[in-house]
Amino acid sequence: MSALVSSGLVPGSYLLTTRGRRTRRVRRNPVVVVEHDGRRWLVASYGAVSWVHNVRAAGQVRLARRRDTRAYAAREVAATGQIPWPPAGGSHVRPPAGPPGHCHIR
């Protein structure tokens, strides 16, 4: 799956690179980035999985798609600051399953 995401064949998906919070090893996970009001968001649609813990600990991520890789600062957003789902105007993306968490990347 990671090869398909990094090559840009899965629409809206990126390859997230973080460091493991305990091992410090490089970890890569496919994620969906949601753009809303000119801001980019990582949405943890399956709750606090491993990549979420790693992003919380590191505070920075790299997102890759095709040959474009960019570094971002990431911070978790309190429930009051989370984006509405689906974003105003509709979306072709289905709402996340399970308890969502939001992380703003810039």
Side-chain angles (χ1 to χ4, degrees), residues 79-103:
T80 57
Q82 293 180 359
I83 61 172
W85 195 269
S91 174
H92 66 281
V93 180
R94 284 191 278 161
H102 294 69
C103 185

Short mmCIF file of all heavy atoms in Angstrom, two decimals, residues 79-103:
data_model
loop_
_atom_site.label_atom_id
_atom_site.label_comp_id
_atom_site.label_asym_id
_atom_site.label_seq_id
_atom_site.Cartn_x
_atom_site.Cartn_y
_atom_site.Cartn_z
N ALA A 79 -10.71 19.39 21.08
CA ALA A 79 -12.00 19.05 20.46
C ALA A 79 -12.76 20.29 19.99
O ALA A 79 -13.45 20.24 18.98
CB ALA A 79 -12.85 18.24 21.43
N THR A 80 -12.63 21.41 20.68
CA THR A 80 -13.34 22.62 20.28
C THR A 80 -12.78 23.24 19.02
O THR A 80 -13.46 23.99 18.34
CB THR A 80 -13.30 23.68 21.40
OG1 THR A 80 -11.92 23.95 21.70
CG2 THR A 80 -14.03 23.20 22.63
N GLY A 81 -11.54 22.91 18.65
CA GLY A 81 -10.93 23.48 17.46
C GLY A 81 -10.94 22.56 16.25
O GLY A 81 -10.38 22.89 15.21
N GLN A 82 -11.56 21.39 16.39
CA GLN A 82 -11.57 20.44 15.29
C GLN A 82 -12.51 20.91 14.18
O GLN A 82 -13.47 21.61 14.43
CB GLN A 82 -11.97 19.06 15.79
CG GLN A 82 -10.93 18.47 16.71
CD GLN A 82 -11.32 17.10 17.22
OE1 GLN A 82 -12.38 16.59 16.91
NE2 GLN A 82 -10.45 16.52 18.02
N ILE A 83 -12.20 20.48 12.96
CA ILE A 83 -13.02 20.88 11.82
C ILE A 83 -14.32 20.08 11.81
O ILE A 83 -14.37 18.96 12.28
CB ILE A 83 -12.27 20.66 10.49
CG1 ILE A 83 -11.90 19.20 10.27
CG2 ILE A 83 -11.07 21.57 10.39
CD1 ILE A 83 -11.33 18.89 8.92
N PRO A 84 -15.40 20.68 11.30
CA PRO A 84 -16.65 19.92 11.19
C PRO A 84 -16.51 18.84 10.12
O PRO A 84 -15.74 18.99 9.18
CB PRO A 84 -17.66 20.99 10.76
CG PRO A 84 -16.85 22.04 10.11
CD PRO A 84 -15.49 22.02 10.77
N TRP A 85 -17.23 17.75 10.27
CA TRP A 85 -17.16 16.67 9.28
C TRP A 85 -18.56 16.34 8.80
O TRP A 85 -19.42 16.08 9.61
CB TRP A 85 -16.53 15.43 9.89
CG TRP A 85 -16.12 14.49 8.82
CD1 TRP A 85 -16.86 13.49 8.29
CD2 TRP A 85 -14.90 14.50 8.10
NE1 TRP A 85 -16.18 12.86 7.30
CE2 TRP A 85 -14.97 13.46 7.16
CE3 TRP A 85 -13.76 15.28 8.14
CZ2 TRP A 85 -13.94 13.18 6.29
CZ3 TRP A 85 -12.74 14.99 7.27
CH2 TRP A 85 -12.84 13.95 6.36
N PRO A 86 -18.85 16.31 7.51
CA PRO A 86 -17.93 16.67 6.44
C PRO A 86 -17.77 18.18 6.35
O PRO A 86 -18.62 18.91 6.84
CB PRO A 86 -18.62 16.12 5.19
CG PRO A 86 -20.07 16.16 5.51
CD PRO A 86 -20.17 15.92 7.00
N PRO A 87 -16.67 18.63 5.74
CA PRO A 87 -16.47 20.07 5.58
C PRO A 87 -17.63 20.71 4.82
O PRO A 87 -18.27 20.06 4.00
CB PRO A 87 -15.18 20.17 4.78
CG PRO A 87 -14.48 18.88 5.02
CD PRO A 87 -15.56 17.85 5.21
N ALA A 88 -17.91 21.97 5.10
CA ALA A 88 -18.98 22.69 4.42
C ALA A 88 -18.79 22.59 2.92
O ALA A 88 -17.68 22.69 2.42
CB ALA A 88 -18.98 24.15 4.87
N GLY A 89 -19.86 22.41 2.20
CA GLY A 89 -19.77 22.26 0.75
C GLY A 89 -19.71 20.82 0.33
O GLY A 89 -19.66 20.50 -0.85
N GLY A 90 -19.71 19.91 1.29
CA GLY A 90 -19.70 18.49 0.97
C GLY A 90 -18.30 17.98 0.69
O GLY A 90 -17.35 18.72 0.60
N SER A 91 -18.20 16.70 0.59
CA SER A 91 -16.91 16.07 0.34
C SER A 91 -17.14 14.70 -0.25
O SER A 91 -18.13 14.04 0.05
CB SER A 91 -16.14 15.95 1.66
OG SER A 91 -14.95 15.23 1.45
N HIS A 92 -16.23 14.25 -1.08
CA HIS A 92 -16.34 12.91 -1.63
C HIS A 92 -15.76 11.87 -0.67
O HIS A 92 -15.89 10.69 -0.87
CB HIS A 92 -15.64 12.82 -2.98
CG HIS A 92 -14.16 12.99 -2.90
ND1 HIS A 92 -13.56 14.22 -2.77
CD2 HIS A 92 -13.16 12.09 -2.89
CE1 HIS A 92 -12.25 14.06 -2.70
NE2 HIS A 92 -11.99 12.79 -2.76
N VAL A 93 -15.14 12.35 0.39
CA VAL A 93 -14.54 11.45 1.38
C VAL A 93 -15.58 11.10 2.42
O VAL A 93 -16.25 11.98 2.95
CB VAL A 93 -13.33 12.14 2.06
CG1 VAL A 93 -12.70 11.22 3.08
CG2 VAL A 93 -12.31 12.56 1.02
N ARG A 94 -15.72 9.82 2.72
CA ARG A 94 -16.69 9.41 3.74
C ARG A 94 -16.20 9.82 5.12
O ARG A 94 -15.00 9.91 5.35
CB ARG A 94 -16.87 7.90 3.70
CG ARG A 94 -17.73 7.47 2.53
CD ARG A 94 -18.10 6.04 2.65
NE ARG A 94 -16.98 5.26 2.15
CZ ARG A 94 -16.79 3.98 2.42
NH1 ARG A 94 -17.61 3.34 3.19
NH2 ARG A 94 -15.77 3.34 1.93
N PRO A 95 -17.12 10.05 6.07
CA PRO A 95 -16.70 10.43 7.42
C PRO A 95 -15.87 9.33 8.06
O PRO A 95 -16.06 8.15 7.75
CB PRO A 95 -18.01 10.64 8.17
CG PRO A 95 -19.04 9.97 7.36
CD PRO A 95 -18.56 9.92 5.96
N PRO A 96 -14.94 9.69 8.92
CA PRO A 96 -14.09 8.69 9.54
C PRO A 96 -14.88 7.74 10.45
O PRO A 96 -15.86 8.14 11.05
CB PRO A 96 -13.10 9.51 10.36
CG PRO A 96 -13.58 10.90 10.34
CD PRO A 96 -14.65 11.03 9.32
N ALA A 97 -14.42 6.50 10.51
CA ALA A 97 -15.03 5.53 11.40
C ALA A 97 -14.35 5.62 12.76
O ALA A 97 -13.16 5.81 12.85
CB ALA A 97 -14.85 4.12 10.83
N GLY A 98 -15.11 5.49 13.81
CA GLY A 98 -14.53 5.52 15.15
C GLY A 98 -14.30 6.93 15.63
O GLY A 98 -14.65 7.90 14.97
N PRO A 99 -13.70 7.08 16.80
CA PRO A 99 -13.50 8.40 17.38
C PRO A 99 -12.40 9.16 16.65
O PRO A 99 -11.25 8.73 16.62
CB PRO A 99 -13.08 8.08 18.82
CG PRO A 99 -12.49 6.72 18.75
CD PRO A 99 -13.20 6.01 17.64
N PRO A 100 -12.75 10.28 16.00
CA PRO A 100 -11.74 11.00 15.24
C PRO A 100 -10.86 11.86 16.13
O PRO A 100 -11.28 12.35 17.15
CB PRO A 100 -12.56 11.87 14.29
CG PRO A 100 -13.83 12.11 15.03
CD PRO A 100 -14.07 10.86 15.86
N GLY A 101 -9.63 12.03 15.71
CA GLY A 101 -8.72 12.98 16.32
C GLY A 101 -8.20 13.84 15.19
O GLY A 101 -8.12 13.39 14.07
N HIS A 102 -7.88 15.05 15.46
CA HIS A 102 -7.43 15.95 14.43
C HIS A 102 -6.07 16.51 14.77
O HIS A 102 -5.79 16.78 15.93
CB HIS A 102 -8.41 17.12 14.24
CG HIS A 102 -9.74 16.71 13.74
ND1 HIS A 102 -10.63 15.99 14.49
CD2 HIS A 102 -10.34 16.93 12.55
CE1 HIS A 102 -11.73 15.79 13.79
NE2 HIS A 102 -11.57 16.34 12.61
N CYS A 103 -5.25 16.68 13.78
CA CYS A 103 -3.93 17.24 13.97
C CYS A 103 -3.70 18.24 12.86
O CYS A 103 -3.77 17.89 11.68
CB CYS A 103 -2.89 16.12 13.92
SG CYS A 103 -1.24 16.67 14.27
#
